[in-house]
Amino acid sequence: MNQVHAPDMQDLLRQLSLDFANQLPHKLQEIAGLLQQHRVENAYGQAVFKLYRLVHSLTGSGATFGMPQVSNFARALELQLRGLSESDKPADAALWQAIETDFEALRQAAETAIAQLVQRGTASVAESMGEAVAGSNETPYDSNALPSRKVVLIEDDESLVATLSTQLGLYGYQVVRAHSAADVNRLLQEERPLAILVDIMLPHDINGGFKLMQGIETQLRQDVPMIFMSARHDLQARLEAVRCGADAFFVKPLDVTHLTDLLESYLADKQQEACRVLVIEDSQVQAVLYAETLRQAGMQIETLTDPIQLESVLNRFMPELILMDMYMPGCTGDELARVIRQQEAFVSVPIVFLSAERDLGRQLLAMTAGGDDFLTKPIEAEHLILAVRNRVKRYRVLRNLMERDSLTGLLHHTKSKEKLDIELARAQRNQHPLSLAMIDLDLFKQVNDRYGHPVGDRVIKSLVQLLRQRLRVTDIIGRYGGEEFLVVFTDTSAIAAAKVLNQIRMSFARVVQYAGDMTEFSVSFSAGIAEYPVNGIGSTDLIQAADDALYQAKAKGRNRIVISDRESEGVVR
């Protein structure tokens, strides 16, 4: 697999275009040899397919690397060879003459283009492919960068400031107070906060919040959500908030649960995992170009130039989209798509064909084989990035609908067990510990009976937010039943897992929950933990051991963590 680390996209494009120019004479020589051989043999049909594929590859790559005339003449020759490859009889002398004439025009165009490319320092390549990436303000993806949890608060009610600081603090948010536009501008320069929370009415001015936010520098406010709040709920107040750039509007008394839901959605948007894209392209130069174009846009990329290696790459990389050329040595794109679609794990993974093929019938044939989209070479970087992102986004939505609980967004019961089995196998293979926790909300039926199911749903979501915020990304959280949750702690002993979960338990018990009439109440949870040692038991027994420990926690008075002492084939503590 090829990794390109050059951060300057234009430099990369210039180098790749020179690589293509250096390879072009050898490709033309190979085409010339096959032309001579096929004319002597009077070949036709499938026998000339390799020749057709070689010419077809120049149709797309020529324009991509700043040689549009090479693409134009290659296309004319490609059309002649396509007819011959699909024919059931040999070509006559006139057709061979036309083919050789088109090839000579292609050869001369290539010689001219190579000379011009070298003379002007390949500047045109950056113009044709690179400006959309090189000129982008987008920051390359950094897997170590964590989004800020800082919330800037502009509020004169001291009791509300204290409440928000405490309640949001339980979820890991840091509330920083500001009193003026100058304060906000300074905070925005120091660190981009997750959001700005502003009261409309400030001391001595009923519209003070609006006026204050108008003093914030536009550039600094960019991409930072603005949330207005007020005791007012009239349409005029809401309209003024929208005109001031509001992303949300809350009516006092403030429902902190709804606010944390909103902040969590902002955080989730910033924590989106990079798209995993597999690029299958037999041209090394083009594979590097497309891979680096997408990598610069923040995506994780694997490249494959030999389709025979597909199986191992698929299972290891688990792509969310496959970007594939139509014509490759050994197989065609539609054949490879059929192979992929025969595997259950990859039935729904989007396949996007990227080819110089412009024949609508052939494009439709490729789509019938299992493709989801067809992009025509040459393609602008911005178009490629947008097409890939949109497809991955839709794929993730569909995958979540199939794998996740609609209320919480957590893995549902079946998928949770599948993930547990995978992690158990990894723990055994690497001889690492693993702990499983079963969590259940205490007296949850009473919450539903007293306040209603919508309030109960909000309680569930508040616990899920806390779990997501406090646990590692490597830990697995699933909704096992109504108010019961499963957490897989990878590389963690039961004692260590219990310490983490106990901190979450204490924080959750302090979270203020709200009923419809703003009645305040609190809820606790209990949990049972079982550890999977190196030579341990299977997932069913581990779940049962954690469930037994949970039952003990309930029997001992609830609102506590119990570690299983169950004896088994592998000792569970």
Side-chain angles (χ1 to χ4, degrees):
M1 302 306 155
N2 300 293
Q3 297 290 330
V4 180
H5 302 288
D8 189 338
M9 193 66 186
Q10 296 212 20
D11 286 346
L12 173 66
L13 287 166
R14 293 187 183 100
Q15 183 57 55
L16 290 176
S17 65
L18 288 174
D19 291 344
F20 174 74
N22 289 332
Q23 295 170 11
L24 189 51
H26 300 287
K27 290 188 176 183
L28 292 172
Q29 187 176 5
E30 185 177 6
I31 291 171
L34 287 172
L35 275 175
Q36 184 178 8
Q37 175 188 338
H38 291 337
R39 180 159 191 180
V40 170
E41 297 173 350
N42 209 7
Y44 63 94
Q46 191 63 28
V48 299
F49 182 77
K50 180 180 179 180
L51 175 60
Y52 166 72
R53 184 180 61 78
L54 287 172
V55 175
H56 173 81
S57 69
L58 295 182
T59 303
S61 56
T64 298
F65 295 110
M67 301 182 183
Q69 289 302 312
V70 170
S71 284
N72 292 338
F73 286 110
R75 188 173 301 282
L77 179 57
E78 175 194 355
L79 293 175
Q80 299 276 26
L81 291 171
R82 172 181 292 177
L84 185 58
S85 70
E86 295 174 346
S87 177
D88 58 358
K89 59 182 179 180
D92 55 23
L95 178 57
W96 277 114
Q97 183 61 47
I99 288 174
E100 290 181 350
T101 299
D102 285 344
F103 173 70
E104 182 59 24
L106 170 61
R107 188 186 62 77
Q108 291 180 9
E111 289 179 358
T112 302
I114 291 171
Q116 292 175 345
L117 197 66
V118 174
Q119 183 178 2
R120 65 176 179 261
T122 68
S124 65
V125 179
E127 295 170 4
S128 64
M129 180 69 184
E131 286 183 348
V133 174
S136 172
N137 292 322
E138 189 159 6
T139 304
Y141 176 76
D142 179 5
S143 60
N144 295 318
L146 295 175
S148 170
R149 286 181 170 269
K150 182 182 292 185
V151 177
V152 176
L153 175 62
I154 303 165
E155 170 61 62
D156 62 308
D157 184 338
E158 297 296 338
S159 62
L160 181 56
V161 171
T163 298
L164 288 175
S165 298
T166 301
Q167 291 297 303
L168 294 181
L170 294 174
Y171 291 95
Y173 297 105
Q174 178 190 4
V175 176
V176 180
R177 198 171 178 188
H179 299 277
S180 65
D183 285 348
V184 179
N185 283 325
R186 175 179 53 78
L187 290 168
L188 288 173
Q189 288 174 330
E190 291 175 355
E191 179 187 0
R192 305 288 283 177
L194 180 64
I196 302 173
L197 187 58
V198 190
D199 192 352
I200 290 176
M201 295 185 287
L202 297 179
H204 314 301
D205 195 337
I206 192 172
N207 293 314
F210 294 140
K211 294 176 182 177
L212 187 150
M213 294 312 297
Q214 289 167 0
I216 308 303
E217 295 180 32
T218 304
Q219 187 63 32
L220 292 177
R221 275 178 47 183
Q222 194 173 13
D223 299 328
V224 178
M226 193 188 315
I227 306 169
F228 282 103
M229 56 184 177
S230 177
R232 295 173 56 190
H233 53 81
D234 56 282
L235 180 61
Q236 190 60 39
R238 293 179 179 274
L239 284 173
E240 287 298 326
V242 169
R243 290 165 184 162
C244 202
D247 293 272
F249 190 101
F250 280 79
V251 177
K252 293 183 178 180
L254 204 62
D255 187 332
V256 180
T257 303
H258 281 168
L259 177 60
T260 55
D261 279 349
L262 183 62
L263 294 176
E264 199 71 19
S265 70
Y266 294 155
L267 199 62
D269 288 342
K270 292 179 179 294
Q271 288 179 313
Q272 276 285 356
E273 182 185 355
C275 305
R276 296 189 307 278
V277 181
L278 173 61
V279 177
I280 306 177
E281 167 67 67
D282 66 307
S283 168
Q284 187 85 7
V285 177
Q286 292 207 67
V288 173
L289 172 61
Y290 298 135
E292 190 60 19
T293 297
L294 298 174
R295 192 175 286 118
Q296 288 282 322
M299 304 183 196
Q300 295 182 38
I301 309 297
E302 287 275 0
T303 58
L304 186 63
T305 54
D306 181 6
I308 301 303
Q309 301 176 16
L310 174 67
E311 198 73 20
S312 61
V313 176
L314 280 178
N315 292 312
R316 173 177 56 80
F317 185 56
M318 297 298 290
E320 296 177 295
L321 182 139
I322 299 170
L323 189 65
M324 184 191 306
D325 194 5
M326 271 287 292
Y327 300 102
M328 293 170 287
C331 66
T332 61
D334 57 316
E335 289 173 337
L336 204 58
R338 286 190 175 94
V339 170
I340 294 170
R341 291 293 184 237
Q342 289 172 359
Q343 302 179 59
E344 185 178 354
F346 306 104
V347 166
S348 59
V349 174
I351 297 175
V352 176
F353 290 105
L354 182 58
S355 174
E357 180 61 70
R358 295 188 178 181
D359 183 281
L360 183 59
R362 286 175 175 260
Q363 291 184 8
L364 291 174
L365 180 63
M367 302 286 278
T368 303
D372 296 276
D373 205 350
F374 200 104
L375 305 177
T376 305
K377 297 178 184 178
I379 183 170
E380 294 183 1
E382 188 174 4
H383 183 189
L384 177 62
I385 293 166
L386 187 61
V388 169
R389 273 195 179 139
N390 286 343
R391 279 289 175 186
V392 172
K393 185 177 181 179
R394 285 195 289 271
Y395 167 70
R396 286 178 171 179
V397 170
L398 292 174
R399 183 183 63 188
N400 284 341
L401 288 174
M402 293 186 293
E403 296 181 353
R404 296 186 178 271
D405 168 60
S406 59
L407 174 66
T408 63
L410 298 180
L411 296 171
H412 58 53
H413 181 101
T414 303
K415 203 66 186 178
S416 298
K417 291 193 68 175
E418 287 179 12
K419 291 287 188 180
L420 173 59
D421 286 332
I422 292 171
E423 291 303 326
L424 281 173
R426 182 179 289 116
Q428 186 171 22
R429 186 167 58 250
N430 298 330
Q431 297 188 348
H432 289 170
L434 177 146
S435 294
L436 173 71
M438 299 298 291
I439 301 171
D440 189 73
L441 289 166
D442 295 327
L443 303 173
F444 187 68
K445 185 177 183 301
Q446 293 182 12
V447 173
N448 281 333
D449 291 345
R450 181 176 299 175
Y451 304 112
H453 288 276
V455 174
D457 288 346
R458 291 214 304 272
V459 171
I460 287 174
K461 290 172 70 174
S462 67
L463 175 57
V464 170
Q465 289 175 12
L466 203 56
L467 291 171
R468 280 176 168 156
Q469 188 268 318
R470 298 291 183 87
L471 299 178
R472 303 168 300 180
V473 294
T474 53
D475 297 327
I476 296 165
I477 314 171
R479 189 178 184 190
Y480 202 70
E483 67 271 19
E484 191 172 15
F485 303 89
L486 171 153
V487 179
V488 180
F489 292 87
T490 57
D491 300 322
T492 307
S493 68
I495 293 175
K499 288 180 180 178
V500 172
L501 208 53
N502 200 48
Q503 292 174 348
I504 297 173
R505 178 191 63 80
M506 290 187 292
S507 293
F508 183 68
R510 293 167 55 202
V511 171
V512 177
Q513 309 287 350
Y514 296 91
D517 57 356
M518 298 306 294
T519 300
E520 297 182 359
F521 65 99
S522 60
V523 180
S524 63
F525 72 77
S526 302
I529 300 177
E531 181 179 334
Y532 180 82
V534 174
N535 298 310
I537 56 183
S539 61
T540 301
D541 290 332
L542 190 66
I543 290 172
Q544 186 60 56
D547 221 28
D548 290 344
L550 171 61
Y551 180 80
Q552 293 177 34
K554 296 282 190 179
K556 291 179 179 179
R558 303 183 181 86
N559 193 19
R560 66 191 66 224
I561 312 293
V562 171
I563 298 177
S564 173
D565 59 357
R566 174 183 166 187
E567 293 294 327
S568 175
E569 181 179 342
V571 179
V572 182
R573 298 189 294 276

